[in-house]
Amino acid sequence: MPEIVYPPVILTARCVFRALNIKIRLEGTDQIPSTGGAVLVSNHISYLDFIFAGLTAHPAKRLVRFMAKKEIFDNRIGGPLMRGMKHIPVDRDAGASSYAASLKALKSGEIVGVFAEATISRSFTVKDIKNGAVRMAVAGKVPLIPVAIWGPQRLWTKGRKRRLLQRGVPVTILVGEPLHPKRGDDYDQFTRDLHARMSELLEKAQREYPDVPKADETWWQPAYLGGTAPTPEEAEKLDLEEIEARKAAGRADDTAP
């Protein structure tokens, strides 16, 4: 079927980037295969990551089908766009169907995008990841491609106001060498290797980033570089508190008259 929605969305995004003078550094795109399936695994620091991670495939004239939580597909505006771009909804209560849809896409030669951390990292380091992406690559017999993104957290991230019209923000996108897990391998070890590669790429992007935060904007810099973002331990505690608050709100809704 022809791509009716995705190309105009990409064109619109590029026009916005140009208008806002978003300075994109994109490296390693030769690691993206020109044909065939692949699992692209990116770190997650902002609500805009799927846009920037998707840019990695454009030089190869490919499109990335991202796995995203079902709630986005339920949105009256976002839903039609997500479905039109053939992204894959993830329903936590029906994970098997999401996995099956992703595997079908891989076997048909698509690139499937995954944010293996599941939620945005408040510490701006790579959180713990599970072995689902590795298992998917093995089942689809496709490579696993690590990606690191840095910069979009300044535009829109968890716990901060949107600053989408901010001009001149640099964005770094680095693509690493693929991993090739196969059946019988130690999936947990491959997951640790994937985490290490993503962390190395992200640290490179952070250390080589052209901007230094102003005194009142150190929140977007990780603690290990002297920023005031939460440490990984502090971020984990905040995540747990958020989960408990959601559970409490759900229980309150259940008992409401």
Side-chain angles (χ1 to χ4, degrees), residues 40-202:
L40 186 150
V41 188
S42 173
N43 68 310
H44 201 9
I45 55 170
S46 82
Y47 293 107
L48 306 173
D49 292 339
F50 73 97
I51 298 174
F52 292 105
L55 293 179
T56 61
H58 294 176
K61 296 181 169 44
R62 306 290 306 276
L63 298 172
V64 182
R65 315 300 179 181
F66 285 97
M67 299 183 73
K69 60 184 181 180
K70 178 180 174 292
E71 288 79 0
I72 301 175
F73 291 79
D74 294 336
N75 183 278
R76 65 186 182 86
I77 297 174
L81 286 173
M82 296 295 281
R83 286 187 288 274
M85 290 185 281
K86 302 175 187 175
H87 294 316
I88 301 165
V90 177
D91 186 344
R92 289 171 183 166
D93 296 326
S97 62
S98 304
Y99 182 85
S102 300
L103 198 56
K104 181 179 179 181
L106 288 172
K107 289 184 175 181
S108 67
E110 298 277 13
I111 298 175
V112 173
V114 177
F115 295 107
E117 297 166 276
T119 58
I120 289 173
S121 170
R122 300 174 192 262
S123 68
F124 304 136
T125 59
V126 181
K127 297 167 61 174
D128 288 341
I129 60 177
K130 298 190 182 213
N131 62 20
V134 174
R135 291 182 178 276
M136 197 185 304
V138 170
K141 298 179 181 179
V142 300
L144 193 64
I145 305 173
V147 171
I149 301 171
W150 187 242
Q153 78 280 9
R154 297 175 61 184
L155 300 171
W156 189 14
T157 192
K158 183 178 285 189
R160 291 281 168 177
K161 286 185 178 180
R162 282 175 287 186
R163 301 176 65 184
L164 298 175
L165 298 181
Q166 194 175 176
R167 295 182 57 82
V169 173
V171 172
T172 301
I173 311 161
L174 305 180
V175 185
E177 292 184 10
L179 291 161
H180 297 275
K182 59 184 183 300
R183 200 170 299 281
D185 285 335
D186 184 336
Y187 297 165
D188 290 335
Q189 182 58 53
F190 257 97
T191 301
R192 288 190 288 270
D193 292 344
L194 173 63
H195 186 281
R197 289 200 186 185
M198 291 170 64
S199 296
E200 288 169 8
L201 288 169
L202 180 57

